[in-house]
Amino acid sequence: MLDIKWILNNPIEADKAFKKRGLKPLSTKLIKMSKSRSEVFVKLENLLKQRNLLSKEIPNTKDESKKKELIKKVKILKDDINKLQEGKTSKNSVLDNFLMELPNFLDKSVPKGETEKDNIEIRKSGNIKKFDFKIKDHVDLGEELDVLDFKTASKVSGSRFVYLKNNLAKLERALASYMLDSNIKFGNFTEIYTPLLVNEDALKGTGQLPKFDSDIFKTRENLWLIPTSEVTLVNLIRDQIIDQDILPLRYTSYSPCFRSEAGAAGKDTRGLKRQHQFGKVEIVSITSPDESEKEHLFLLNTAEKILQGLELPYRVCELCSGEVGFASKKTFDLEVWIPSEKNYMEISSISNCGDFQSRRINARYKKNDKNIYPHTLNGSSLAIGRTIIAILENYQNNDGSVDIPKVLQKYMNNLERL
């Protein structure tokens, strides 16, 4: 959630920040809403003082007629107070609900742009393999090896589901283990296995709700399937005051993720790229504002370490203003090379959310007896389905077999080829 006090004190800067997000100026509207709420607070405080003074006077009043008059005044004040308290709640809700719909302000360093074409390439890593035979995409490779089964999954669950079979199922498990081990060894992340179902407040806390409810699956019991374990990991510190000395808190988790992908019809839906259910290893960090930028780069390096270990060619891009997600103030994307597309494909987003999420979940830490909102950061480390795409295509052989990256072989009983 945006800091309303900062907006009130910096309306011109705030409107520039709204403009960078593609929004119209909103400072004037927010100031009016806040002023209206404040006026109710002042009136309520004055009425409470009056009621308290009169209530203290009643027991000391011997004149019965005067006492009845005081009791009558207290009753009138009580009714007025109740009405104002309802108004206070209403105005609080209106302002809070409006703020909950607004995206995070972007970092000043984020480049301006509208689409992924405006993202800035920072660097490339790894060698792109030159094939001396006609290559296949991951769907053809997987189906011919009988390790990918989309047809049966479609009968059982619908479109954009899949069965991973035989050694590819083992590869999925191997990737999850390797990614977790890498994160723990490289960054001393604490491994967490989290709930897969969460309530509405948890999703509001990380920014998926109320704006993006159509992208998430909801159960009949009013619980939601997590779109990413970022939700459950960030909410670990909900309503807490953290000891500054334990920062940064670093968590990593493997979980199935569930997304309706409501807006993805006809867009990159072949194969494993956009599934309703997929596995992902997540990294989350909670740190102080002073260490936030440094921690952002550390999470980026953590995810890169995995791609380097898998010996997959990739590039790092900084997202432009039109591409940065709702809760993020700055995002780096890792994109892996996909031979069949002769292009790079996003495999991880590493985002710095500043204090946007910590305000929504009311998480703070103490510094010099002052409560401060920590910064939260998150990233995919990595999306496993997309990593499988990259492995199948980059490690394919002329006979249709696929080599297994060396770092994964120990997780697969030293199997060298699918």
Side-chain angles (χ1 to χ4, degrees):
M1 185 183 291
L2 298 176
D3 182 357
I4 185 64
K5 288 183 180 178
W6 186 87
I7 294 171
L8 298 179
N9 293 326
N10 303 275
I12 295 173
E13 286 299 310
D15 282 338
K16 287 180 181 177
F18 285 128
K19 185 179 180 182
K20 195 169 183 179
R21 270 291 191 180
L23 299 172
K24 62 183 180 182
L26 293 170
S27 291
T28 301
K29 180 175 181 177
L30 286 165
I31 289 169
K32 285 181 180 178
M33 292 171 76
S34 181
K35 186 178 179 182
S36 177
R37 182 181 68 167
S38 297
E39 287 171 353
V40 172
F41 276 44
V42 172
K43 287 180 183 177
L44 181 59
E45 191 175 338
N46 288 334
L47 289 180
L48 286 168
K49 284 181 181 178
Q50 290 178 47
R51 186 196 66 181
N52 291 339
L53 287 171
L54 291 175
S55 296
K56 288 178 181 178
E57 194 177 335
I58 291 171
N60 300 318
T61 303
K62 294 180 180 179
D63 187 321
E64 287 299 319
S65 62
K66 190 176 180 182
K67 184 180 281 190
K68 286 181 181 178
E69 185 65 28
L70 288 171
I71 291 171
K72 184 179 178 182
K73 285 182 179 179
V74 169
K75 187 177 183 302
I76 292 170
L77 283 170
K78 187 178 179 181
D79 290 340
D80 290 343
I81 287 167
N82 287 337
K83 288 177 184 177
L84 273 176
Q85 283 177 330
E86 289 176 9
K88 172 190 169 187
T89 302
S90 174
K91 288 186 181 295
N92 249 342
S93 297
V94 169
L95 179 57
D96 286 346
N97 288 342
F98 187 68
L99 287 170
M100 290 288 265
E101 294 273 356
L102 297 176
N104 198 358
F105 284 148
L106 297 172
D107 191 85
K108 289 181 180 179
S109 65
V110 172
K112 291 182 180 179
E114 296 180 3
T115 68
E116 60 183 22
K117 293 178 181 178
D118 300 313
N119 295 340
I120 305 297
E121 183 183 292
I122 296 173
R123 63 178 173 272
K124 289 178 179 175
S125 178
N127 299 315
I128 294 173
K129 184 178 178 180
K130 293 180 180 179
F131 295 93
D132 57 6
F133 56 89
K134 186 177 180 181
I135 61 171
K136 300 172 182 175
D137 74 1
H138 75 282
V139 176
D140 290 337
L141 284 162
E143 288 181 338
E144 288 174 16
L145 288 168
D146 193 27
V147 292
L148 280 178
D149 188 348
F150 294 99
K151 291 179 181 178
T152 306
S154 181
K155 293 176 185 177
V156 173
S157 302
S159 62
R160 280 188 270 167
F161 288 92
V162 68
Y163 282 100
L164 303 182
K165 299 162 63 177
N166 305 320
N167 287 330
L168 195 61
K170 290 179 183 177
L171 182 67
E172 156 101 12
R173 182 157 44 93
L175 279 166
S177 296
Y178 167 63
M179 291 174 187
L180 289 170
D181 287 348
S182 177
N183 294 340
I184 293 165
K185 183 179 179 181
F186 178 70
N188 199 27
F189 286 80
T190 299
E191 183 177 354
I192 306 284
Y193 186 77
T194 83
L196 303 181
L197 289 164
V198 294
N199 59 31
E200 189 173 298
D201 286 341
L203 287 160
K204 284 182 177 179
T206 44
Q208 282 82 9
L209 290 182
K211 201 170 179 67
F212 304 103
D213 61 329
S214 62
D215 290 333
I216 317 170
F217 289 109
K218 188 178 183 180
T219 71
R220 289 175 296 180
E221 290 75 19
N222 290 323
L223 291 173
W224 305 70
L225 287 165
I226 60 168
T228 164
S229 57
E230 170 203 342
V231 176
T232 40
L233 294 175
V234 170
N235 274 280
L236 270 171
I237 60 165
R238 184 180 198 90
D239 295 322
Q240 291 186 36
I241 297 178
I242 309 161
D243 185 350
Q244 183 186 4
D245 293 339
I246 67 173
L247 297 178
L249 288 170
R250 291 174 180 159
Y251 302 126
T252 187
S253 178
Y254 165 74
S255 74
C257 303
F258 306 89
R259 297 183 188 178
S260 65
E261 296 279 8
K267 180 186 176 184
D268 298 328
T269 54
R270 175 172 164 80
L272 295 172
K273 194 169 184 180
R274 291 186 185 273
Q275 294 282 286
H276 290 310
Q277 174 188 326
F278 58 95
K280 182 155 72 79
V281 172
E282 187 77 4
I283 45 176
V284 160
S285 180
I286 294 99
T287 192
S288 64
D290 293 343
E291 295 294 316
S292 183
E293 288 185 26
K294 181 180 174 183
E295 191 71 5
H296 195 188
L297 294 175
F298 180 79
L299 293 196
L300 176 63
N301 290 338
T302 301
E304 282 189 81
K305 204 81 176 173
I306 293 169
L307 286 169
Q308 290 163 5
L310 293 170
E311 298 182 79
L312 290 169
Y314 69 92
R315 68 178 181 179
V316 181
C317 295
E318 182 177 354
L319 298 196
C320 69
S321 56
E323 287 287 294
V324 176
F326 180 84
S328 175
K329 70 171 190 170
K330 183 172 182 173
T331 298
F332 295 111
D333 267 7
L334 289 174
E335 298 180 353
V336 69
W337 178 256
I338 304 299
S340 67
E341 298 181 7
K342 296 181 180 178
N343 204 352
Y344 290 92
M345 173 188 70
E346 179 204 331
I347 197 168
S348 171
S349 286
I350 311 291
S351 296
N352 185 345
C353 297
D355 61 9
F356 186 79
Q357 292 178 328
S358 61
R359 288 180 179 278
R360 292 166 82 104
I361 62 173
N362 192 34
R364 294 143 292 157
Y365 72 92
K366 271 199 180 296
K367 183 178 181 181
N368 300 327
D369 294 326
K370 184 181 179 182
N371 288 337
I372 298 172
Y373 290 103
H375 283 196
T376 63
L377 303 95
N378 68 82
S380 302
S381 183
L382 303 164
I384 292 179
R386 294 192 173 200
T387 308
I388 289 174
I389 294 175
I391 290 172
L392 288 175
E393 295 203 12
N394 282 282
Y395 279 87
Q396 64 180 293
N397 298 307
N398 193 18
D399 62 0
S401 64
V402 176
D403 293 332
I404 296 169
K406 290 179 182 178
V407 292
L408 298 180
Q409 291 175 13
K410 67 179 181 180
Y411 296 95
M412 300 181 67
N413 295 321
N414 297 315
L415 190 69
E416 296 182 357
R417 185 170 290 188
L418 291 179

PDB file of all heavy atoms in Angstrom, residues 2-15:
ATOM      1  N   LEU A   2       0.446   2.272  -0.715  1.00  0.00           N
ATOM      2  CA  LEU A   2       1.211   3.509  -0.772  1.00  0.00           C
ATOM      3  C   LEU A   2       1.145   4.239   0.563  1.00  0.00           C
ATOM      4  O   LEU A   2       0.181   4.102   1.320  1.00  0.00           O
ATOM      5  CB  LEU A   2       0.663   4.407  -1.889  1.00  0.00           C
ATOM      6  CG  LEU A   2       0.742   3.842  -3.312  1.00  0.00           C
ATOM      7  CD1 LEU A   2       0.080   4.796  -4.298  1.00  0.00           C
ATOM      8  CD2 LEU A   2       2.190   3.581  -3.722  1.00  0.00           C
ATOM      9  N   ASP A   3       2.177   5.023   0.834  1.00  0.00           N
ATOM     10  CA  ASP A   3       2.268   5.795   2.066  1.00  0.00           C
ATOM     11  C   ASP A   3       1.481   7.093   1.893  1.00  0.00           C
ATOM     12  O   ASP A   3       1.931   8.029   1.229  1.00  0.00           O
ATOM     13  CB  ASP A   3       3.745   6.086   2.364  1.00  0.00           C
ATOM     14  CG  ASP A   3       3.952   6.849   3.659  1.00  0.00           C
ATOM     15  OD1 ASP A   3       2.956   7.216   4.304  1.00  0.00           O
ATOM     16  OD2 ASP A   3       5.124   7.060   4.027  1.00  0.00           O
ATOM     17  N   ILE A   4       0.285   7.163   2.502  1.00  0.00           N
ATOM     18  CA  ILE A   4      -0.582   8.331   2.329  1.00  0.00           C
ATOM     19  C   ILE A   4       0.067   9.588   2.884  1.00  0.00           C
ATOM     20  O   ILE A   4      -0.097  10.683   2.332  1.00  0.00           O
ATOM     21  CB  ILE A   4      -1.974   8.085   2.973  1.00  0.00           C
ATOM     22  CG1 ILE A   4      -2.936   9.251   2.681  1.00  0.00           C
ATOM     23  CG2 ILE A   4      -1.854   7.825   4.451  1.00  0.00           C
ATOM     24  CD1 ILE A   4      -3.262   9.443   1.230  1.00  0.00           C
ATOM     25  N   LYS A   5       0.851   9.462   3.975  1.00  0.00           N
ATOM     26  CA  LYS A   5       1.507  10.644   4.554  1.00  0.00           C
ATOM     27  C   LYS A   5       2.507  11.235   3.565  1.00  0.00           C
ATOM     28  O   LYS A   5       2.621  12.457   3.434  1.00  0.00           O
ATOM     29  CB  LYS A   5       2.211  10.265   5.862  1.00  0.00           C
ATOM     30  CG  LYS A   5       1.255   9.980   7.015  1.00  0.00           C
ATOM     31  CD  LYS A   5       2.025   9.678   8.292  1.00  0.00           C
ATOM     32  CE  LYS A   5       1.069   9.382   9.438  1.00  0.00           C
ATOM     33  NZ  LYS A   5       1.801   9.031  10.689  1.00  0.00           N
ATOM     34  N   TRP A   6       3.255  10.356   2.875  1.00  0.00           N
ATOM     35  CA  TRP A   6       4.210  10.849   1.893  1.00  0.00           C
ATOM     36  C   TRP A   6       3.497  11.573   0.756  1.00  0.00           C
ATOM     37  O   TRP A   6       3.944  12.625   0.287  1.00  0.00           O
ATOM     38  CB  TRP A   6       5.048   9.701   1.335  1.00  0.00           C
ATOM     39  CG  TRP A   6       6.141  10.175   0.425  1.00  0.00           C
ATOM     40  CD1 TRP A   6       7.394  10.572   0.770  1.00  0.00           C
ATOM     41  CD2 TRP A   6       6.049  10.334  -1.008  1.00  0.00           C
ATOM     42  NE1 TRP A   6       8.106  10.967  -0.345  1.00  0.00           N
ATOM     43  CE2 TRP A   6       7.308  10.833  -1.446  1.00  0.00           C
ATOM     44  CE3 TRP A   6       5.049  10.111  -1.945  1.00  0.00           C
ATOM     45  CZ2 TRP A   6       7.572  11.103  -2.786  1.00  0.00           C
ATOM     46  CZ3 TRP A   6       5.312  10.375  -3.298  1.00  0.00           C
ATOM     47  CH2 TRP A   6       6.558  10.863  -3.698  1.00  0.00           C
ATOM     48  N   ILE A   7       2.377  11.036   0.316  1.00  0.00           N
ATOM     49  CA  ILE A   7       1.604  11.663  -0.772  1.00  0.00           C
ATOM     50  C   ILE A   7       1.102  13.036  -0.346  1.00  0.00           C
ATOM     51  O   ILE A   7       1.167  14.005  -1.111  1.00  0.00           O
ATOM     52  CB  ILE A   7       0.431  10.753  -1.193  1.00  0.00           C
ATOM     53  CG1 ILE A   7       0.961   9.457  -1.817  1.00  0.00           C
ATOM     54  CG2 ILE A   7      -0.501  11.473  -2.171  1.00  0.00           C
ATOM     55  CD1 ILE A   7      -0.102   8.412  -2.077  1.00  0.00           C
ATOM     56  N   LEU A   8       0.603  13.143   0.904  1.00  0.00           N
ATOM     57  CA  LEU A   8       0.096  14.418   1.414  1.00  0.00           C
ATOM     58  C   LEU A   8       1.201  15.469   1.478  1.00  0.00           C
ATOM     59  O   LEU A   8       0.969  16.651   1.206  1.00  0.00           O
ATOM     60  CB  LEU A   8      -0.513  14.235   2.807  1.00  0.00           C
ATOM     61  CG  LEU A   8      -1.725  13.298   2.921  1.00  0.00           C
ATOM     62  CD1 LEU A   8      -2.193  13.207   4.355  1.00  0.00           C
ATOM     63  CD2 LEU A   8      -2.859  13.754   2.022  1.00  0.00           C
ATOM     64  N   ASN A   9       2.412  15.038   1.824  1.00  0.00           N
ATOM     65  CA  ASN A   9       3.539  15.967   1.966  1.00  0.00           C
ATOM     66  C   ASN A   9       4.267  16.234   0.655  1.00  0.00           C
ATOM     67  O   ASN A   9       5.015  17.214   0.560  1.00  0.00           O
ATOM     68  CB  ASN A   9       4.531  15.434   2.997  1.00  0.00           C
ATOM     69  CG  ASN A   9       3.966  15.416   4.403  1.00  0.00           C
ATOM     70  OD1 ASN A   9       3.177  16.285   4.765  1.00  0.00           O
ATOM     71  ND2 ASN A   9       4.355  14.435   5.194  1.00  0.00           N
ATOM     72  N   ASN A  10       4.049  15.354  -0.352  1.00  0.00           N
ATOM     73  CA  ASN A  10       4.759  15.495  -1.634  1.00  0.00           C
ATOM     74  C   ASN A  10       3.802  15.284  -2.809  1.00  0.00           C
ATOM     75  O   ASN A  10       4.015  14.399  -3.648  1.00  0.00           O
ATOM     76  CB  ASN A  10       5.906  14.474  -1.710  1.00  0.00           C
ATOM     77  CG  ASN A  10       6.886  14.591  -0.565  1.00  0.00           C
ATOM     78  OD1 ASN A  10       7.813  15.380  -0.597  1.00  0.00           O
ATOM     79  ND2 ASN A  10       6.674  13.778   0.472  1.00  0.00           N
ATOM     80  N   PRO A  11       2.766  16.111  -2.912  1.00  0.00           N
ATOM     81  CA  PRO A  11       1.740  15.878  -3.951  1.00  0.00           C
ATOM     82  C   PRO A  11       2.265  15.979  -5.379  1.00  0.00           C
ATOM     83  O   PRO A  11       1.844  15.222  -6.250  1.00  0.00           O
ATOM     84  CB  PRO A  11       0.691  16.961  -3.669  1.00  0.00           C
ATOM     85  CG  PRO A  11       1.412  18.009  -2.876  1.00  0.00           C
ATOM     86  CD  PRO A  11       2.435  17.286  -2.073  1.00  0.00           C
ATOM     87  N   ILE A  12       3.189  16.905  -5.629  1.00  0.00           N
ATOM     88  CA  ILE A  12       3.723  17.076  -6.991  1.00  0.00           C
ATOM     89  C   ILE A  12       4.543  15.849  -7.391  1.00  0.00           C
ATOM     90  O   ILE A  12       4.389  15.310  -8.498  1.00  0.00           O
ATOM     91  CB  ILE A  12       4.569  18.365  -7.096  1.00  0.00           C
ATOM     92  CG1 ILE A  12       3.687  19.588  -6.870  1.00  0.00           C
ATOM     93  CG2 ILE A  12       5.249  18.435  -8.458  1.00  0.00           C
ATOM     94  CD1 ILE A  12       4.461  20.899  -6.790  1.00  0.00           C
ATOM     95  N   GLU A  13       5.428  15.403  -6.482  1.00  0.00           N
ATOM     96  CA  GLU A  13       6.230  14.209  -6.746  1.00  0.00           C
ATOM     97  C   GLU A  13       5.338  12.980  -6.907  1.00  0.00           C
ATOM     98  O   GLU A  13       5.602  12.104  -7.745  1.00  0.00           O
ATOM     99  CB  GLU A  13       7.222  13.987  -5.600  1.00  0.00           C
ATOM    100  CG  GLU A  13       8.386  14.953  -5.586  1.00  0.00           C
ATOM    101  CD  GLU A  13       9.228  14.870  -6.850  1.00  0.00           C
ATOM    102  OE1 GLU A  13       9.614  13.745  -7.215  1.00  0.00           O
ATOM    103  OE2 GLU A  13       9.477  15.912  -7.470  1.00  0.00           O
ATOM    104  N   ALA A  14       4.286  12.914  -6.090  1.00  0.00           N
ATOM    105  CA  ALA A  14       3.364  11.767  -6.161  1.00  0.00           C
ATOM    106  C   ALA A  14       2.676  11.708  -7.521  1.00  0.00           C
ATOM    107  O   ALA A  14       2.552  10.633  -8.119  1.00  0.00           O
ATOM    108  CB  ALA A  14       2.334  11.850  -5.046  1.00  0.00           C
ATOM    109  N   ASP A  15       2.247  12.871  -8.029  1.00  0.00           N
ATOM    110  CA  ASP A  15       1.574  12.889  -9.332  1.00  0.00           C
ATOM    111  C   ASP A  15       2.529  12.505 -10.464  1.00  0.00           C
ATOM    112  O   ASP A  15       2.118  11.876 -11.450  1.00  0.00           O
ATOM    113  CB  ASP A  15       0.953  14.265  -9.597  1.00  0.00           C
ATOM    114  CG  ASP A  15      -0.361  14.464  -8.848  1.00  0.00           C
ATOM    115  OD1 ASP A  15      -0.987  13.448  -8.477  1.00  0.00           O
ATOM    116  OD2 ASP A  15      -0.760  15.623  -8.632  1.00  0.00           O
TER     117      ASP A  15
END
